[in-house]
Amino acid sequence: EHDSYARAVASAGRARLAALDVRAIATFNAELFTQYAAKQRFRVRPLPGAVRIDCEDDLWRHYARDPGFLKHFRSEDNATCVRPISPPFRPPGWGGAYNGSKVRCVASHDQRAGAQPLFCTPGAVVEEDQNPGDKTLQHRVITTTRSVQPGTSYAPFSEFPSAAKDGIPWTML
């Protein structure tokens, strides 16, 4: 019944979006989210273990497991920041919110039985027994000593995921 009207609205919407640049789309989204937030009946608060990401490099620093990886992927471009960054820059010099967070072990390793089920168990070293005749893996903890994996946080989700004491000055990279 209203097909022609719906087609006209869709066509006008496509034409309007095609005329917008990235900044205009970002402004539209900011206005959309601001108006939507005003309708909420609760205050949004980040969880205690949340990590703030303002710029592309904040994200790379959070997920980097070693400095070599980070060197290849850092953009060092503050134009990627959600909020403008003003000099003087402090280490790391690019990005705005990074403060030493690292990806949690349980978020970066497959915990299923056939993969790495005990990898993030504090102090566990896992031995895998595989029967070549069938494709089942049996895992068992064989010792309770383990070195720290660089670039990994073992903090629970209720705490800030700082890097384990791996000797790498992450906030200076």
Side-chain angles (χ1 to χ4, degrees):
E1 169 183 342
H2 301 287
D3 285 350
S4 61
Y5 176 71
R7 277 193 273 284
V9 169
S11 177
R14 278 193 297 275
R16 175 69 179 126
L17 284 176
L20 298 177
D21 62 3
V22 172
R23 184 171 295 280
I25 292 172
T27 302
F28 170 81
N29 284 332
E31 181 65 26
L32 172 74
F33 293 137
T34 300
Q35 288 183 24
Y36 179 72
K39 296 181 181 300
Q40 292 179 338
R41 297 173 188 221
F42 60 92
R43 182 170 167 80
V44 177
R45 292 190 181 108
L47 296 173
V51 174
R52 183 173 171 163
I53 304 291
D54 277 348
C55 309
E56 178 183 348
D57 283 350
D58 294 338
L59 190 63
W60 286 117
R61 285 186 175 92
H62 175 73
Y63 282 101
R65 302 283 292 282
D66 65 70
F69 172 90
L70 183 59
K71 180 178 73 173
H72 292 294
F73 291 96
R74 248 186 345 227
S75 68
E76 296 186 342
D77 181 3
N78 284 334
T80 67
C81 299
V82 175
R83 295 172 191 85
I85 306 290
S86 301
F89 298 117
R90 64 188 191 298
W94 299 94
Y98 183 74
N99 62 354
S101 68
K102 283 291 151 204
V103 65
R104 286 181 174 84
C105 187
V106 294
S108 64
H109 288 85
D110 189 344
Q111 304 293 296
R112 292 177 297 165
Q116 301 168 315
L118 301 172
F119 190 87
C120 298
T121 303
V125 172
V126 178
E127 176 183 82
E128 295 180 352
D129 298 323
Q130 184 173 7
N131 180 348
D134 62 28
K135 295 187 178 175
T136 60
L137 290 175
Q138 306 240 339
H139 300 279
R140 62 189 171 98
V141 176
I142 58 171
T143 182
T144 56
T145 58
R146 183 180 82 177
S147 61
V148 171
Q149 182 178 3
T152 302
S153 175
Y154 296 94
F157 283 93
S158 60
E159 297 174 9
F160 181 79
S162 58
K165 295 185 179 4
D166 58 12
I168 300 171
W170 291 106
T171 57
M172 300 302 285
L173 298 176

